[in-house]
Amino acid sequence: MSEVEIPGSWQEALDRVVREGGLYLVLGGTDTGKSTFCRLAVEVVRKAGKAAGLVDGDIGQSQYGLPGTVFGLRFEGEERRTVATFFVGTTSPREAALQCLAGICRVTAAVQEGQPHAVMVDTTGYIRGPGAIELKQAKVAALRPNGVVLIQREGEAEAIVE
């Protein structure tokens, strides 16, 4: 992961995660780099000698868990530990918005129990349409993150910002 060239805007966000810690929700369209950003953040926090958590809430393109499952990990020292999973039952958040929200909330709470310095919450690329916007707003309202990282290519997530 350390061979990745980090854009300046990402570096600013990564510096904040290491400096301030807390919970960060990462939003953006499909294949924009949300999972890469989360992995980088975990790596940077660990290199700073602090524990990190990761919630893989991308039920359609999971990096750590089974498809259709929200997966929670804690990284302490060299150890990576699975702390919680939540089976949503589909890879489409459009079909299971309430289950996605419940899964993200439950798994995030379990990851936070270990009090890691920072927890990154990776989300699905479902960002277009009223249902997508409502789901992202509900995640922000329920999790009350310290920060929201929005990754986009060409303004495709502006409706979420508004």
Side-chain angles (χ1 to χ4, degrees):
M1 184 60 67
S2 53
E3 304 87 39
V4 173
E5 185 173 329
I6 301 172
S9 58
W10 282 30
Q11 190 61 58
E12 291 172 26
L14 292 168
D15 290 344
R16 178 180 172 190
V17 169
V18 172
R19 183 177 61 251
E20 298 177 16
L23 178 69
Y24 294 87
L25 187 64
V26 182
L27 308 176
T30 303
D31 296 328
T32 53
K34 297 179 305 295
S35 298
T36 300
F37 180 85
C38 288
R39 286 193 314 270
L40 279 170
V42 166
E43 182 179 307
V44 172
V45 168
R46 290 176 73 193
K47 282 184 178 176
K50 301 174 182 181
L54 175 66
V55 176
D56 183 352
D58 192 348
I59 60 171
Q61 293 182 309
S62 179
Q63 298 292 308
Y64 295 96
L66 298 170
T69 304
V70 179
F71 204 74
L73 301 150
R74 231 181 348 254
F75 300 84
E76 298 171 11
E78 295 300 314
E79 182 181 336
R80 176 179 101 181
R81 209 165 59 105
T82 301
V83 294
T85 60
F86 185 97
F87 185 63
V88 173
T90 180
T91 57
S92 172
R94 180 179 286 125
E95 296 172 10
L98 288 177
Q99 293 92 329
C100 287
L101 181 60
I104 288 280
C105 290
R106 264 190 149 164
V107 171
T108 300
V111 170
Q112 287 180 304
E113 282 178 11
Q115 299 182 343
H117 177 72
V119 176
M120 306 306 298
V121 180
D122 189 6
T123 62
T124 66
Y126 177 50
I127 60 167
R128 296 180 194 262
I133 294 168
E134 289 173 7
L135 178 57
K136 300 305 184 195
Q137 289 172 337
K139 287 178 182 179
V140 171
L143 295 176
R144 302 178 66 195
N146 298 78
V148 175
V149 177
L150 180 66
I151 302 174
Q152 59 182 343
R153 286 191 183 99
E154 299 174 3
E156 68 273 9
E158 288 304 315
I160 291 174
V161 174
E162 292 173 10

